Amino acid sequence: MNHFRAVLSLLPRRLRSPSWLTVTRTCPSVSSMEPVVVRCSPGEPKLTISFRLDGSSKHMQRELDEPLSKALTRISNGIIKNQGKAKKKKTKNEAEEPESPENSTVKLLLDGSEVSGELPNSEAWQDGAVLQVGDQSFSVSRNPPTFTTAELPVSVLAGFPVCPKLEVEFGNLEDCEFTWFKENFSRPDAGDGPRHDSPWTEVGRSRVYVPSNQDIGHRLKLVCTAKDGGRTGLAKELVSVSTVEAGPGVCTCDNRHQYTMREAEWPTMRVVSYNILADIYAKTELSRTVLYTYCAPYALELDYRQNLIKKELAGYNADIICLQEVDKAVFVDSLVPALDAFGLDGVFRIKEKQHEGLATFYRRSKFNFLSSHDIMLSEVLTSDPIHSELLQKLSLSVSLKEKMLQRSTSLQVSILEDRTKPGRKVCVANTHLFWHPTGGNIRLFQMGVALKHLNHVISEVAPGAPLVFCGDFNSTPSSGVFQLVRETSVPQQHPDWSSSGPSESCNMELLSGFPPLLSACGEPAYTNYVGGFNGCLDYIFIQPGLMKVEQVIPLPSHQEVTTYEALPSVAHPSDHIALVCDLHWVP
């Protein structure tokens, strides 16, 4: 085992996010010889050779086209040098004359025959070859399936899925094997008990584990073995730093999950739109002391909220998920590992000047990702000629134009192809419009740019594709934005044109360029519920001629939302409520 630990310690490792912390140990595969791991990645100019000899780690990089003989000589010289150092040290300690280092014969064998020293390293170091160093033999494992990242989350709650962050090189996560264990006893530092390692009991054999109440107070251990088809690589052992803690009990999503226990069947797709509340906003002093004073401080912590978010999203069994206010680190370290385990791939669009953005996930068994056409709305307004007319009208108000161009609002656009019916595409759009209560005029311009861009993308790359437009539009059903989408135009008399005062009034008629769109989930009383405000701000817009609504998942009851006064709470991770609906392709 010590040999394997040392070998893996020499392989490249990735930096860990502070949101993840795991005690990691390495376990060996069954083998009659100690391994020498050879990593030869396509596109890289060198290969690495790693093994342990006499308690010392050997690790070297060699050119691919270098003759094998030079690599073997380098190994031999290194061994002789180390032997000399060891004997000098012994001589000094024992006051004896130094002895000459012993010669160390180093050979590489394949199928019992010595490999020619003239062969380049790229060809010589084959899987299954044997490296002989004196009287010791090492089995060559070339590009074995290897976990480059394997970590458990810090916070583990009973009733909530534990999704390890995993990345594998030369392997396939779907082929890998996973075994979960729990400690039979509480950790020694948790109270009275024996001061030694506790034995473990197996509790699961899947990539994701949901702890039960019986696991509370116990640490978890995951043994994961990297594989690629029939090839088996090294295993890693992960032990959670913290013990399993009690969950909050009933969450606002639990009753909703009764409607989404199974995936939607083709030709139906399940769509989710959800502002998950970025950590950079939740952890501010303003949030804790003004906006969300009713929320328990621990319930605003990212690790806690991520448990709730992952459980909620996994339970919807969605085919398309559009998220807003996604911290970049949350996307990479939490959402991607979790949703990948449930069959979804994702793309991310950062909001310029911010550390949060938009994320769109899609079920890979149902969709192929074809292309993305993301934009920053203010940027294309001045750079893309298709928006020249809108820019000209905006320029009539210098101060309003300045405000508009300062906004970093983005539009994420993904073209997906139906895998069941190749050639059939859907345009999935995701956005989060300007938030300020007096920003109705800015939101109108933002929506005008977004719709123009979407019209252009569909006509150019996916003619006839239906539009599914998700987001936090920060617009109530009485707003100009909602009227633009539902009625295809906004008249110049609409009050939103003067929302920030007469000096920034920009009265004009704005056309959507689309037929009337439908709010798939209707007009709920609210999708955002905080201490000082509640209202409907989030929508999933569709083209009724190309998509029809098959099912709308009921929102949490008012009693559920207000159990802890408002949102977020210990039972709900965001100040918004997810919209969930089943949409049916229209033939």
Side-chain angles (χ1 to χ4, degrees):
M1 178 176 287
N2 289 335
H3 291 277
F4 278 86
R5 289 178 181 166
V7 168
L8 279 197
S9 68
L10 296 171
L11 295 178
R13 296 180 64 187
R14 303 198 178 175
L15 293 177
R16 295 178 178 172
S17 162
S19 296
W20 298 77
L21 189 59
T22 309
V23 176
T24 307
R25 292 193 284 265
T26 305
C27 309
S29 301
V30 177
S31 176
S32 58
M33 297 184 226
E34 299 296 341
V36 52
V37 175
V38 176
R39 182 181 178 276
C40 182
S41 183
E44 295 184 7
K46 296 182 179 182
L47 56 71
T48 60
I49 304 169
S50 307
F51 63 102
R52 280 183 66 86
L53 180 67
D54 298 331
S56 175
S57 297
K58 311 297 178 185
H59 177 71
M60 63 182 70
Q61 288 192 328
R62 311 302 298 178
E63 298 288 344
L64 294 177
D65 57 359
E66 175 192 67
L68 170 65
S69 58
K70 287 191 175 182
L72 297 181
T73 300
R74 174 68 183 83
I75 294 173
S76 178
N77 290 342
I79 294 171
I80 293 173
K81 183 178 180 180
N82 289 338
Q83 288 176 344
K85 288 181 179 180
K87 290 188 175 182
K88 285 181 180 179
K89 183 176 180 181
K90 181 179 179 181
T91 300
K92 182 177 180 180
N93 292 337
E94 298 181 3
E96 295 178 358
E97 290 295 323
E99 299 178 9
S100 299
E102 298 176 4
N103 290 326
S104 183
T105 303
V106 180
K107 299 179 181 180
L108 186 65
L109 307 177
L110 183 63
D111 297 329
S113 300
E114 186 172 350
V115 178
S116 171
E118 296 179 359
L119 275 181
N121 284 320
S122 58
E123 297 179 26
W125 296 92
Q126 295 296 319
D127 200 45
V130 175
L131 175 67
Q132 280 194 346
V133 181
D135 59 356
Q136 297 189 52
S137 297
F138 301 83
S139 177
V140 174
S141 182
R142 176 170 173 144
N143 292 343
T146 304
F147 285 109
T148 55
T149 299
E151 303 166 6
L152 295 178
V154 171
S155 175
V156 182
L157 300 181
F160 292 78
V162 182
C163 307
K165 181 183 178 184
L166 301 167
E167 293 180 14
V168 65
E169 186 178 42
F170 310 121
N172 187 335
L173 278 176
E174 295 183 1
D175 295 334
C176 297
E177 295 179 350
F178 306 95
T179 307
W180 292 87
F181 302 84
K182 76 167 183 178
E183 274 183 319
N184 285 337
F185 305 99
S186 298
R187 295 177 63 183
D189 57 4
D192 295 334
R195 301 288 169 170
H196 54 74
D197 289 340
S198 301
W200 300 87
T201 298
E202 183 179 330
V203 291
R205 283 182 173 266
S206 59
R207 181 171 165 184
V208 176
Y209 177 65
V210 180
S212 67
N213 287 338
Q214 286 69 40
D215 297 330
I216 294 174
H218 301 260
R219 288 186 302 168
L220 298 179
K221 179 172 73 173
L222 170 63
V223 176
C224 42
T225 303
K227 300 192 72 174
D228 182 28
R231 293 190 73 213
T232 299
L234 300 174
K236 276 201 172 182
E237 181 180 292
L238 314 176
V239 179
S240 63
V241 174
S242 60
T243 60
V244 178
E245 298 178 350
V250 177
C251 292
T252 55
C253 64
D254 289 343
N255 287 330
R256 308 186 79 189
H257 286 169
Q258 299 302 311
Y259 298 87
T260 60
M261 296 178 68
R262 287 180 288 274
E263 294 178 20
E265 296 183 4
W266 188 90
T268 298
M269 67 177 78
R270 182 166 299 139
V271 180
V272 173
S273 183
Y274 196 7
N275 180 327
I276 62 172
L277 180 58
D279 183 51
I280 61 171
Y281 306 140
K283 68 183 181 183
T284 63
E285 191 67 19
L286 177 66
S287 294
R288 297 178 185 275
T289 60
V290 179
L291 298 180
Y292 310 131
T293 55
Y294 49 83
C295 183
Y298 74 86
L300 288 174
E301 293 295 329
L302 179 61
D303 287 332
Y304 180 88
R305 293 195 303 115
Q306 282 304 297
N307 276 294
L308 275 63
I309 290 171
K310 287 183 284 189
K311 174 185 177 179
E312 181 173 2
L313 293 178
Y316 289 140
N317 285 303
D319 301 308
I320 295 173
I321 301 176
C322 291
L323 303 176
Q324 304 85 44
E325 288 197 21
V326 181
D327 301 272
K328 184 175 181 179
V330 168
F331 176 81
V332 173
D333 297 325
S334 180
L335 293 176
V336 167
L339 295 179
D340 177 76
F342 292 102
L344 293 98
D345 289 335
V347 289
F348 181 71
R349 168 74 186 193
I350 191 72
K351 184 186 289 185
E352 301 294 333
K353 307 173 188 177
Q354 303 289 339
H355 296 285
E356 53 95 359
L358 307 165
T360 297
F361 290 87
Y362 59 93
R363 188 166 296 282
R364 54 180 171 264
S365 64
K366 294 186 177 181
F367 294 104
N368 292 320
F369 185 89
L370 298 183
S371 57
S372 62
H373 306 271
D374 305 345
I375 58 171
M376 186 166 76
L377 299 177
S378 60
E379 184 178 74
V380 298
L381 178 60
T382 58
S383 63
D384 193 331
I386 68 173
H387 305 296
S388 58
E389 182 180 352
L390 196 59
L391 177 62
Q392 184 179 8
K393 294 179 179 180
L394 174 64
S395 299
L396 296 175
S397 173
V398 176
S399 59
L400 183 60
K401 178 183 177 181
E402 184 179 350
K403 284 185 178 180
M404 173 69 184
L405 298 183
Q406 288 176 348
R407 304 271 67 82
S408 58
T409 304
S410 295
L411 174 71
Q412 186 179 40
V413 185
S414 305
I415 303 297
L416 306 178
E417 180 185 43
D418 182 359
R419 296 191 65 177
T420 304
K421 190 175 181 180
R424 181 157 68 175
K425 304 171 185 175
V426 59
C427 177
V428 180
N430 183 17
T431 196
H432 184 192
L433 299 186
F434 182 47
W435 65 273
H436 201 280
T438 65
N441 46 13
I442 291 179
R443 285 188 288 275
L444 274 171
F445 278 105
Q446 290 180 334
M447 197 62 170
V449 174
L451 292 171
K452 191 79 171 179
H453 179 73
L454 290 170
N455 208 323
H456 178 74
V457 169
I458 292 174
S459 64
E460 290 292 319
V461 302
L467 171 66
V468 177
F469 196 178
C470 303
D472 174 1
F473 296 87
N474 274 310
S475 304
T476 64
S478 64
S479 68
V481 165
F482 192 81
Q483 183 174 346
L484 175 65
V485 173
R486 292 288 291 116
E487 301 178 17
T488 75
S489 67
V490 176
Q492 61 182 6
Q493 299 86 5
H494 197 285
D496 275 1
W497 288 122
S498 305
S499 61
S500 56
S503 63
E504 294 181 343
S505 180
C506 194
N507 300 89
M508 56 176 282
E509 183 181 25
L510 181 61
L511 304 178
S512 74
F514 280 90
L517 302 183
L518 173 71
S519 174
C521 296
E523 302 171 26
Y526 50 79
T527 60
N528 175 246
Y529 198 103
V530 295
F533 170 84
N534 66 83
C536 181
L537 304 178
D538 306 81
Y539 305 94
I540 299 175
F541 291 117
I542 64 170
Q543 294 171 275
L546 301 174
M547 286 277 181
K548 68 178 182 180
V549 181
E550 188 169 288
Q551 176 184 216
V552 177
I553 308 306
L555 271 65
S557 68
H558 185 67
Q559 181 180 352
E560 289 175 313
V561 171
T562 59
T563 297
Y564 300 94
E565 187 175 337
L567 307 178
S569 70
V570 296
H572 192 89
S574 175
D575 53 348
H576 286 253
I577 299 170
L579 296 178
V580 188
C581 63
D582 290 354
L583 304 178
H584 189 93
W585 294 94
V586 173

